[in-house]
Amino acid sequence: MAFILREAEKIICAVLFLAMTLLGFANVVVRYGTNYSLAVTEELLTNGFLLLTVFGAAVAARRGEHLAVTLVHDLLPRPLQRAVFILSVLLSVALLALSAWFSWQSVANLMSNGMRSYGLGIPAWYYQIAVPFGFALVLVRYLQHAVSVLCGAPQHEVIPDV
């Protein structure tokens, strides 16, 4: 169980990417075999890419490989580097928390207005419900990385995926 919790976003990304690959392949086979296309593939793949991006950001945040501009940080003396790192953590946490909250508000709006998807005709919030949880997971993984950096763990640790 600890493995699943520790590697949740990697498992989600792998399963999602495999499903998207199979769905895209099936659509190509059907399109070239019958001159028709599976109508729902665009909808499913678009929303799959959204989820893959959010959960992939959680993988990067946990490793400390998220996008960062460190030019100013690297030029500062060591005590100021720590202060700038803490400030960046606080601002990043605020941004991620707001992103989770606003995406939850978007899901609530989709639930209340009853909007349905154009391909499958299912409630549109079915696709969006994972986004606020994805942002929350990015927030948790980012905090885990920040705590490990502040406690003195090596910053350039190589973590194999396979």
Side-chain angles (χ1 to χ4, degrees):
M1 186 63 160
F3 172 78
I4 292 174
L5 291 175
R6 188 177 62 247
E7 307 294 337
E9 63 274 5
K10 289 181 188 177
I11 295 168
I12 291 169
C13 284
V15 169
L16 192 58
F17 190 69
L18 178 63
M20 290 170 58
T21 302
L22 293 174
L23 184 63
F25 179 73
N27 187 38
V28 169
V29 169
V30 168
R31 185 176 43 221
Y32 285 107
T34 66
N35 288 330
Y36 292 105
S37 159
L38 299 174
V40 300
T41 56
E42 178 187 354
E43 179 180 317
L44 292 172
L45 292 176
T46 300
N47 287 294
F49 279 119
L50 172 69
L51 295 176
L52 199 59
T53 302
V54 173
F55 286 105
V59 173
R62 177 70 174 114
R63 294 172 159 191
E65 295 175 352
H66 53 281
L67 182 62
V69 180
T70 61
L71 177 66
V72 174
H73 176 271
D74 294 342
L75 293 175
L76 294 172
R78 182 74 81 199
L80 285 178
Q81 283 182 352
R82 186 173 179 92
V84 167
F85 179 75
I86 291 171
L87 176 65
S88 72
V89 167
L90 293 173
L91 292 173
S92 297
V93 165
L95 176 67
L96 290 167
L98 286 172
S99 296
W101 186 77
F102 281 118
S103 60
W104 180 256
Q105 294 301 312
S106 175
V107 169
N109 184 33
L110 288 172
M111 292 169 98
S112 68
N113 70 19
M115 182 184 283
R116 300 186 83 68
S117 69
Y118 57 89
L120 288 172
I122 61 174
W125 64 269
Y126 284 10
Y127 293 121
Q128 300 297 319
I129 194 70
V131 175
F133 295 109
F135 277 120
L137 184 60
V138 175
L139 175 66
V140 168
R141 296 306 191 193
Y142 187 77
L143 285 173
Q144 286 176 333
H145 170 71
V147 167
S148 69
V149 168
L150 290 172
C151 291
Q155 292 184 18
H156 299 289
E157 182 180 340
V158 176
I159 303 171
D161 280 333
V162 184

